[in-house]
Amino acid sequence: MNTRVRVVVVDDEPLARSALTLILGGDPELELVGEAADGEQAVAVVREQSPDVVLMDIRMPIRDGLDATRELLSRADPPRVLVLTTFDADDMVLQALRIGAHGFLLKDTPPAEIVAAVKQVAAGRPMLSPSVTAQLISVATAGSSDEAAARERARAALTSLTERERDVAEAIGRGLSNSDIAKEMHLSIATVKSYTSRLLTKLDAENRVQIAIVVLNARKTAVPLPNSGSDGRGDGRP
C-alpha cells in the first residue's frame, strides 16, 4: 500500500514550481501528484488527484490562492493547505489562516524545513513557527474597524478561559509544540492535548493555527487581557 504523502504544488512562477518539485521529489516519503499555476487550476488538480497536502501560493493571476484555499477547505474531504509567500507579513496569509489553512511557509525556507513542514501538516500538526508568529503579530496591527472588532472579539473569547487554559493558548500563540508547552508548564503531553481540545471548542477554532490567531488579535488591544476570575489550577497543574 502506498503510504507516501501526496502533494500538489501551486505557484504562478515556473521556477518556483520547479524548485519545489525538486525539493519534494527527492524525499521517499513524499509523492508529487500535480502542479498548478493559479487557483483555478489548483481546484481542478485537487479534484482529480485528492492530495494530502497542497502548497498554495497566495498572489496569483486568474484566481488567487486565498479564494482557492477557501473552496478546497469547503470540500467534504479537504486537503491540508500550506500557504506559500514571499512576504514576511502578508495580510492575505493572515486571512488564509483564519479560514482554516494549516500554516504558512516563506518561499526562502530551507529545503529540509519545507519537507519537514509538509510531513508535519500531513500528520495533522499545523505549521506555525515562533518566527512566523512574530510576523503575524505585525500583520494584525491594521487599524480598520473590522480589525478593531476582531480584536475585541478575541479579547472577549479569552475571558471565557481559565488562567491555565489562557496560558496554554498564549503558548500556542508563540508557536510552541505540545512537548514544548508540557516542559515549560510542567504538564504531561496528554494534559496539554486535553487543554488544546478544550481551547478548540471554547474558541470555536478548527486547529491550533486559529487558536494562535485569536491570541494574536487579542494582543493588539491597548487594554491588558483581563483575568477570567478563575485560576484553573485544579485541572492539570502538578
Side-chain angles (χ1 to χ4, degrees), residues 37-52:
D38 58 63
E40 197 67 37
Q41 291 181 14
V43 171
V45 170
V46 169
R47 187 182 299 118
E48 292 177 1
Q49 299 296 335
S50 298
D52 302 302

PDB file of all heavy atoms in Angstrom, residues 37-52:
ATOM      1  N   ALA A  37      -0.693  26.518 -11.840  1.00  0.00           N
ATOM      2  CA  ALA A  37      -0.124  27.853 -11.982  1.00  0.00           C
ATOM      3  C   ALA A  37      -1.050  28.951 -11.466  1.00  0.00           C
ATOM      4  O   ALA A  37      -0.683  30.124 -11.461  1.00  0.00           O
ATOM      5  CB  ALA A  37       0.221  28.123 -13.443  1.00  0.00           C
ATOM      6  N   ASP A  38      -2.263  28.593 -11.055  1.00  0.00           N
ATOM      7  CA  ASP A  38      -3.190  29.568 -10.478  1.00  0.00           C
ATOM      8  C   ASP A  38      -4.243  28.819  -9.666  1.00  0.00           C
ATOM      9  O   ASP A  38      -4.304  27.590  -9.676  1.00  0.00           O
ATOM     10  CB  ASP A  38      -3.850  30.425 -11.558  1.00  0.00           C
ATOM     11  CG  ASP A  38      -4.612  29.607 -12.584  1.00  0.00           C
ATOM     12  OD1 ASP A  38      -5.593  28.939 -12.188  1.00  0.00           O
ATOM     13  OD2 ASP A  38      -4.238  29.626 -13.771  1.00  0.00           O
ATOM     14  N   GLY A  39      -5.073  29.588  -8.970  1.00  0.00           N
ATOM     15  CA  GLY A  39      -6.056  28.968  -8.095  1.00  0.00           C
ATOM     16  C   GLY A  39      -7.082  28.121  -8.819  1.00  0.00           C
ATOM     17  O   GLY A  39      -7.540  27.105  -8.301  1.00  0.00           O
ATOM     18  N   GLU A  40      -7.452  28.530 -10.036  1.00  0.00           N
ATOM     19  CA  GLU A  40      -8.437  27.766 -10.804  1.00  0.00           C
ATOM     20  C   GLU A  40      -7.890  26.382 -11.148  1.00  0.00           C
ATOM     21  O   GLU A  40      -8.574  25.369 -10.997  1.00  0.00           O
ATOM     22  CB  GLU A  40      -8.799  28.534 -12.078  1.00  0.00           C
ATOM     23  CG  GLU A  40     -10.084  28.052 -12.737  1.00  0.00           C
ATOM     24  CD  GLU A  40     -11.314  28.338 -11.901  1.00  0.00           C
ATOM     25  OE1 GLU A  40     -11.381  29.397 -11.250  1.00  0.00           O
ATOM     26  OE2 GLU A  40     -12.210  27.471 -11.903  1.00  0.00           O
ATOM     27  N   GLN A  41      -6.645  26.364 -11.618  1.00  0.00           N
ATOM     28  CA  GLN A  41      -6.013  25.076 -11.914  1.00  0.00           C
ATOM     29  C   GLN A  41      -5.855  24.247 -10.642  1.00  0.00           C
ATOM     30  O   GLN A  41      -6.000  23.021 -10.672  1.00  0.00           O
ATOM     31  CB  GLN A  41      -4.644  25.293 -12.556  1.00  0.00           C
ATOM     32  CG  GLN A  41      -4.676  25.869 -13.959  1.00  0.00           C
ATOM     33  CD  GLN A  41      -3.282  26.023 -14.537  1.00  0.00           C
ATOM     34  OE1 GLN A  41      -2.313  25.477 -14.024  1.00  0.00           O
ATOM     35  NE2 GLN A  41      -3.194  26.804 -15.613  1.00  0.00           N
ATOM     36  N   ALA A  42      -5.557  24.901  -9.547  1.00  0.00           N
ATOM     37  CA  ALA A  42      -5.358  24.191  -8.284  1.00  0.00           C
ATOM     38  C   ALA A  42      -6.603  23.411  -7.876  1.00  0.00           C
ATOM     39  O   ALA A  42      -6.525  22.242  -7.486  1.00  0.00           O
ATOM     40  CB  ALA A  42      -4.981  25.176  -7.185  1.00  0.00           C
ATOM     41  N   VAL A  43      -7.751  24.054  -7.979  1.00  0.00           N
ATOM     42  CA  VAL A  43      -9.007  23.388  -7.614  1.00  0.00           C
ATOM     43  C   VAL A  43      -9.242  22.179  -8.506  1.00  0.00           C
ATOM     44  O   VAL A  43      -9.640  21.105  -8.040  1.00  0.00           O
ATOM     45  CB  VAL A  43     -10.189  24.388  -7.721  1.00  0.00           C
ATOM     46  CG1 VAL A  43     -11.522  23.654  -7.563  1.00  0.00           C
ATOM     47  CG2 VAL A  43     -10.048  25.483  -6.661  1.00  0.00           C
ATOM     48  N   ALA A  44      -8.951  22.321  -9.799  1.00  0.00           N
ATOM     49  CA  ALA A  44      -9.148  21.205 -10.734  1.00  0.00           C
ATOM     50  C   ALA A  44      -8.195  20.054 -10.441  1.00  0.00           C
ATOM     51  O   ALA A  44      -8.599  18.883 -10.443  1.00  0.00           O
ATOM     52  CB  ALA A  44      -8.951  21.696 -12.173  1.00  0.00           C
ATOM     53  N   VAL A  45      -6.929  20.369 -10.172  1.00  0.00           N
ATOM     54  CA  VAL A  45      -5.933  19.321  -9.892  1.00  0.00           C
ATOM     55  C   VAL A  45      -6.276  18.586  -8.601  1.00  0.00           C
ATOM     56  O   VAL A  45      -6.182  17.360  -8.522  1.00  0.00           O
ATOM     57  CB  VAL A  45      -4.516  19.926  -9.817  1.00  0.00           C
ATOM     58  CG1 VAL A  45      -3.521  18.892  -9.300  1.00  0.00           C
ATOM     59  CG2 VAL A  45      -4.083  20.430 -11.181  1.00  0.00           C
ATOM     60  N   VAL A  46      -6.671  19.326  -7.584  1.00  0.00           N
ATOM     61  CA  VAL A  46      -7.029  18.689  -6.312  1.00  0.00           C
ATOM     62  C   VAL A  46      -8.242  17.785  -6.493  1.00  0.00           C
ATOM     63  O   VAL A  46      -8.315  16.695  -5.924  1.00  0.00           O
ATOM     64  CB  VAL A  46      -7.292  19.757  -5.228  1.00  0.00           C
ATOM     65  CG1 VAL A  46      -7.930  19.120  -3.989  1.00  0.00           C
ATOM     66  CG2 VAL A  46      -5.991  20.456  -4.859  1.00  0.00           C
ATOM     67  N   ARG A  47      -9.198  18.230  -7.307  1.00  0.00           N
ATOM     68  CA  ARG A  47     -10.381  17.406  -7.571  1.00  0.00           C
ATOM     69  C   ARG A  47      -9.976  16.078  -8.220  1.00  0.00           C
ATOM     70  O   ARG A  47     -10.524  15.022  -7.900  1.00  0.00           O
ATOM     71  CB  ARG A  47     -11.347  18.166  -8.473  1.00  0.00           C
ATOM     72  CG  ARG A  47     -12.683  17.448  -8.676  1.00  0.00           C
ATOM     73  CD  ARG A  47     -13.584  18.240  -9.614  1.00  0.00           C
ATOM     74  NE  ARG A  47     -13.893  19.559  -9.094  1.00  0.00           N
ATOM     75  CZ  ARG A  47     -13.554  20.695  -9.679  1.00  0.00           C
ATOM     76  NH1 ARG A  47     -12.874  20.672 -10.825  1.00  0.00           N
ATOM     77  NH2 ARG A  47     -13.876  21.852  -9.144  1.00  0.00           N
ATOM     78  N   GLU A  48      -8.986  16.118  -9.109  1.00  0.00           N
ATOM     79  CA  GLU A  48      -8.555  14.916  -9.818  1.00  0.00           C
ATOM     80  C   GLU A  48      -7.664  14.013  -8.967  1.00  0.00           C
ATOM     81  O   GLU A  48      -7.781  12.785  -9.010  1.00  0.00           O
ATOM     82  CB  GLU A  48      -7.784  15.300 -11.083  1.00  0.00           C
ATOM     83  CG  GLU A  48      -8.630  15.959 -12.162  1.00  0.00           C
ATOM     84  CD  GLU A  48      -7.786  16.378 -13.353  1.00  0.00           C
ATOM     85  OE1 GLU A  48      -6.549  16.121 -13.328  1.00  0.00           O
ATOM     86  OE2 GLU A  48      -8.340  16.963 -14.303  1.00  0.00           O
ATOM     87  N   GLN A  49      -6.779  14.624  -8.196  1.00  0.00           N
ATOM     88  CA  GLN A  49      -5.724  13.853  -7.539  1.00  0.00           C
ATOM     89  C   GLN A  49      -5.960  13.572  -6.052  1.00  0.00           C
ATOM     90  O   GLN A  49      -5.317  12.690  -5.492  1.00  0.00           O
ATOM     91  CB  GLN A  49      -4.378  14.580  -7.695  1.00  0.00           C
ATOM     92  CG  GLN A  49      -3.933  14.757  -9.138  1.00  0.00           C
ATOM     93  CD  GLN A  49      -3.661  13.430  -9.823  1.00  0.00           C
ATOM     94  OE1 GLN A  49      -3.352  12.423  -9.174  1.00  0.00           O
ATOM     95  NE2 GLN A  49      -3.796  13.406 -11.141  1.00  0.00           N
ATOM     96  N   SER A  50      -6.833  14.330  -5.396  1.00  0.00           N
ATOM     97  CA  SER A  50      -7.106  14.154  -3.960  1.00  0.00           C
ATOM     98  C   SER A  50      -5.819  14.063  -3.139  1.00  0.00           C
ATOM     99  O   SER A  50      -5.550  13.055  -2.472  1.00  0.00           O
ATOM    100  CB  SER A  50      -7.954  12.904  -3.733  1.00  0.00           C
ATOM    101  OG  SER A  50      -9.197  13.011  -4.369  1.00  0.00           O
ATOM    102  N   PRO A  51      -4.994  15.109  -3.171  1.00  0.00           N
ATOM    103  CA  PRO A  51      -3.732  15.076  -2.421  1.00  0.00           C
ATOM    104  C   PRO A  51      -3.958  15.193  -0.919  1.00  0.00           C
ATOM    105  O   PRO A  51      -5.043  15.581  -0.464  1.00  0.00           O
ATOM    106  CB  PRO A  51      -2.995  16.301  -2.953  1.00  0.00           C
ATOM    107  CG  PRO A  51      -4.101  17.257  -3.278  1.00  0.00           C
ATOM    108  CD  PRO A  51      -5.195  16.394  -3.847  1.00  0.00           C
ATOM    109  N   ASP A  52      -2.923  14.878  -0.169  1.00  0.00           N
ATOM    110  CA  ASP A  52      -2.966  15.049   1.282  1.00  0.00           C
ATOM    111  C   ASP A  52      -2.636  16.493   1.658  1.00  0.00           C
ATOM    112  O   ASP A  52      -3.216  17.047   2.592  1.00  0.00           O
ATOM    113  CB  ASP A  52      -1.957  14.111   1.956  1.00  0.00           C
ATOM    114  CG  ASP A  52      -2.216  12.660   1.623  1.00  0.00           C
ATOM    115  OD1 ASP A  52      -3.332  12.181   1.906  1.00  0.00           O
ATOM    116  OD2 ASP A  52      -1.311  12.000   1.065  1.00  0.00           O
TER     117      ASP A  52
END
